[in-house]
Amino acid sequence: MRIAQQQEPGSHDSFSYWVDEKSPVGPDQTPAVKRLARISLVKKLMKKWSVTQNLTFREQLEAGIRYFDLRVSSKPGDADQEIYFIHGLFGIKVWDGLMEIDSFLTQHPREIVFLDFNHFYAMDEAHHNRLALQMQEAFGNKLCSACDVESLTLQLLWEKKGQVLIFYHCPFYKQYPFLWPGKKIPAPWANTTSVHKLILFLETTLSERASRGAFHVSQAILTPRVKTIARGLVGGLKNTLVHRNLPAILDWVKTQKPGAMGVNIITSDFVDLVDFATTVIELNDLLQEDRALAKC
């Protein structure tokens, strides 16, 4: 089965189950936010809107999540060039996250994961090199070198014992054969608070999906506006926007069809709030049914 035609569940800002209120605000924030964040209460409120997952990497993997949306940054004043996950506030060290994922993969040698490094902040070439070397050290022979998407099947990966596809949305990917270019995994973003507009956007971008040569991420997420945050300041992202809208998003997922022009990877916030991963994975049964009918 070609990987690009399978249905894989993913998480949005996958690492944000923990963020550090005590560290400086991340370089992904505006100067105005950085000034406000000098007030300790502001950071506590930021946390409510920065966290988009409840589960750790390991818990997400055990729940069935196989695509991880990753943003990374160096930390101001850090002399050791350590790299951290980032979403407004700093998360755990990237190295710790990689090791957690590798531990799961070692115990489950037929499982495949997609690591999508799509935002980089305050990183120079030395930081990128450090990160690439950490990837090599963490995953070793589990890394799958970039190749033709159409040729990539589960059987091929199992034969080569490849388990990790790393996408790198930065020209630096050219320096390491195991880094896939970001253009191979487009993830259109609706940038809306409306479920109706989100679903319309998802349908439109799926219809425009390239039939060959790339994976495709459907970001089934709602994005708060400034006024959304102001209205639900204390409630946070989960209580203000996600909890009440996730069932409708899941209903859309249930209607999807697999195949070359169908859904491939679908991401969500707070993947544990509904039976998200199982619902996405079960779409693969439709692909098997279609193939069985084609043989009749």
Side-chain angles (χ1 to χ4, degrees):
M1 181 185 293
R2 293 217 311 265
I3 304 293
Q5 289 189 8
Q6 281 189 222
Q7 285 63 59
E8 300 287 353
S11 55
H12 171 238
D13 283 324
S14 311
F15 52 86
S16 65
Y17 51 86
W18 182 85
V19 292
D20 187 1
E21 296 174 39
K22 296 178 181 178
S23 70
V25 172
D28 59 336
Q29 296 301 297
T30 64
V33 171
K34 291 176 183 177
R35 286 194 296 272
L36 281 171
R38 292 170 187 162
I39 306 168
S40 60
L41 176 62
V42 171
K43 280 191 182 177
K44 291 184 183 298
L45 295 174
M46 280 185 70
K47 182 177 179 179
K48 288 178 175 289
W49 291 92
S50 294
V51 170
T52 68
Q53 302 297 334
N54 291 323
L55 305 181
T56 66
F57 281 124
R58 178 82 192 203
E59 290 167 340
Q60 290 181 49
L61 285 160
E62 289 173 345
I65 299 302
R66 293 296 179 267
Y67 166 93
F68 296 93
D69 166 38
L70 308 171
R71 306 176 185 206
V72 296
S73 176
S74 68
K75 188 179 287 188
D78 231 6
D80 60 3
Q81 295 190 322
E82 193 61 71
I83 312 298
Y84 296 81
F85 293 113
I86 185 87
H87 190 220
L89 298 169
F90 285 96
I92 66 170
K93 292 178 181 179
V94 172
W95 171 252
D96 293 339
L98 298 182
M99 293 305 294
E100 192 173 350
I101 293 168
D102 182 68
S103 173
F104 175 88
L105 294 175
T106 299
Q107 295 169 9
H108 301 84
R110 288 168 69 89
E111 294 298 328
I112 317 297
V113 297
F114 299 77
L115 305 185
D116 191 358
F117 287 82
N118 49 56
H119 287 74
F120 305 90
Y121 301 97
M123 288 178 61
D124 57 23
E125 188 167 356
H127 290 110
H128 284 289
N129 273 310
R130 179 182 176 89
L131 179 54
L133 292 173
Q134 287 183 338
M135 293 169 180
Q136 283 182 309
E137 186 177 348
F139 299 120
N141 292 334
K142 296 184 182 78
L143 291 167
C144 176
S145 293
C147 64
D148 175 28
V149 170
E150 301 308 313
S151 68
L152 205 60
T153 64
L154 274 177
Q155 193 61 43
L156 179 65
L157 288 172
W158 289 338
E159 288 172 3
K160 293 187 173 184
K161 301 188 185 324
Q163 292 182 267
V164 183
L165 282 71
I166 299 180
F167 298 85
Y168 214 75
H169 296 245
C170 167
F172 183 81
Y173 80 85
K174 298 173 184 176
Q175 299 189 31
Y176 290 87
F178 61 83
L179 295 179
W180 293 59
K183 66 182 180 182
K184 293 286 187 181
I185 194 161
W189 175 41
N191 192 17
T192 181
T193 59
S194 163
V195 173
H196 173 73
K197 289 180 180 178
L198 170 64
I199 290 173
L200 182 61
F201 178 86
L202 292 171
E203 295 285 358
T204 301
T205 51
L206 273 176
S207 70
E208 297 169 347
R209 175 189 173 185
S211 59
R212 299 179 63 84
F215 299 97
H216 183 87
V217 180
S218 296
Q219 295 199 68
I221 60 168
L222 296 171
T223 305
R225 302 271 194 257
V226 172
K227 63 181 181 181
T228 314
I229 296 173
R231 284 201 301 263
L233 193 60
V234 177
L237 179 69
K238 180 167 64 174
N239 294 326
T240 304
L241 205 56
V242 177
H243 208 285
R244 60 190 172 90
N245 290 307
L246 206 48
I249 292 172
L250 193 67
D251 285 342
W252 174 82
V253 173
K254 292 175 182 177
T255 67
Q256 296 312 294
K257 304 297 182 192
M261 296 302 289
V263 287
N264 178 203
I265 296 164
I266 308 177
T267 62
S268 174
D269 289 323
F270 299 104
V271 295
D272 59 311
L273 293 185
V274 292
D275 203 8
F276 173 74
T278 301
T279 302
V280 176
I281 292 167
E282 286 177 349
L283 294 175
N284 287 297
D285 295 338
L286 299 176
L287 193 59
Q288 300 287 5
E289 290 171 12
D290 288 347
R291 289 183 174 170
L293 288 171
K295 291 179 181 179
C296 295

